[in-house]
Amino acid sequence: MKRAVVALVAVLALAGCQGGKGSPTVTNEQRYVAGDGTSQVFEPGQRKKSPTVSGTLLDGARFTLATGKVTVINFWASWCAPCRTEADDLEDVYQAGKANGVDFLGIDFRDGKDAARSFAEGRMTYPSLFDPAGKVALSFRDVPPNTIPATIVLDKQGRVAAVIRKPVDRDELRKIVDPIAAEQ
């Protein structure tokens, strides 16, 4: 019986970060709530200003996010299985969007620096902040990215244009980012 309980706990821990639709769950030792699969896109008149996003990048450099470009901010962690699944799609959209003035920023949180660097190497060429305490996520009070993974899209004025509280794929992200990037 004890062995069965241990096996069940191990399976649940390996199940990843994303719960089923409508069933937020607390997962693994990071004790973070998985999302319900919702996305919100805000009309320009409904958008709220983003908090200041700054910190230390995985390479140790200081970073402060500037406005003037559409920016996709992805919250991830090396221990998050859905984060691994969406990483290639995020990188593809980043590469395709650079020519249209779309920037990307990763925010690694509730993670160890070595694990984060290992995860990012070969997966993403855009910068990532190292935010083990999750302070950046907490600063988004009006539209919290309270899931892992989560993606926030900022418009050119630095306002929150969209929030995605689930793993995102290439096509879905482009359908959200491209119209925001085309705004005047």
Side-chain angles (χ1 to χ4, degrees), residues 2-15 28:
K2 184 176 179 181
R3 213 183 268 185
V5 171
V6 170
L8 178 60
V9 169
V11 168
L12 292 174
L14 292 173
N28 69 32

Side-chain angles (χ1 to χ4, degrees), residues 17 28-30 75-84 107-120 123 148:
C17 315
N28 69 32
E29 70 278 359
Q30 275 61 27
F75 294 84
W76 62 273
S78 66
W79 46 264
C80 171
C83 298
R84 287 189 290 278
I107 311 261
D108 171 56
F109 67 110
R110 306 222 176 176
D111 212 346
K113 194 170 236 177
D114 289 340
R117 284 183 183 150
S118 179
F119 177 91
R123 277 194 174 97
I148 183 78

Side-chain angles (χ1 to χ4, degrees), residues 4 8 11 14 21 23 34 38 46 55 58 77-78 82 87 91 96 106 116 134 136 138 141 162 174 177:
L8 178 60
V11 168
L14 292 173
K21 186 168 180 75
S23 61
T38 62
Q46 299 173 324
L58 287 175
S78 66
E91 179 65 23
V136 174
L138 290 173
R141 295 178 196 271
R174 290 202 63 173
V177 171

Side-chain angles (χ1 to χ4, degrees), residues 33-61:
V33 178
D36 62 3
T38 62
S39 298
Q40 292 175 279
V41 178
F42 302 98
E43 293 299 321
Q46 299 173 324
R47 297 177 186 168
K48 305 236 188 246
K49 186 81 175 147
S50 166
T52 300
V53 177
S54 64
T56 303
L57 296 172
L58 287 175
D59 67 7

Side-chain angles (χ1 to χ4, degrees), residues 45-129:
Q46 299 173 324
R47 297 177 186 168
K48 305 236 188 246
K49 186 81 175 147
S50 166
T52 300
V53 177
S54 64
T56 303
L57 296 172
L58 287 175
D59 67 7
R62 291 289 304 158
F63 179 88
T64 300
L65 185 65
T67 58
K69 290 185 173 185
V70 171
T71 304
V72 176
I73 302 173
N74 179 255
F75 294 84
W76 62 273
S78 66
W79 46 264
C80 171
C83 298
R84 287 189 290 278
T85 301
E86 72 176 3
D88 289 341
D89 286 348
L90 288 163
E91 179 65 23
D92 287 349
V93 176
Y94 169 63
Q95 291 299 329
K98 284 194 301 187
N100 297 326
V102 177
D103 272 349
F104 270 60
L105 176 66
I107 311 261
D108 171 56
F109 67 110
R110 306 222 176 176
D111 212 346
K113 194 170 236 177
D114 289 340
R117 284 183 183 150
S118 179
F119 177 91
E121 188 175 311
R123 277 194 174 97
M124 55 184 76
T125 57
Y126 52 88
S128 277
L129 289 179

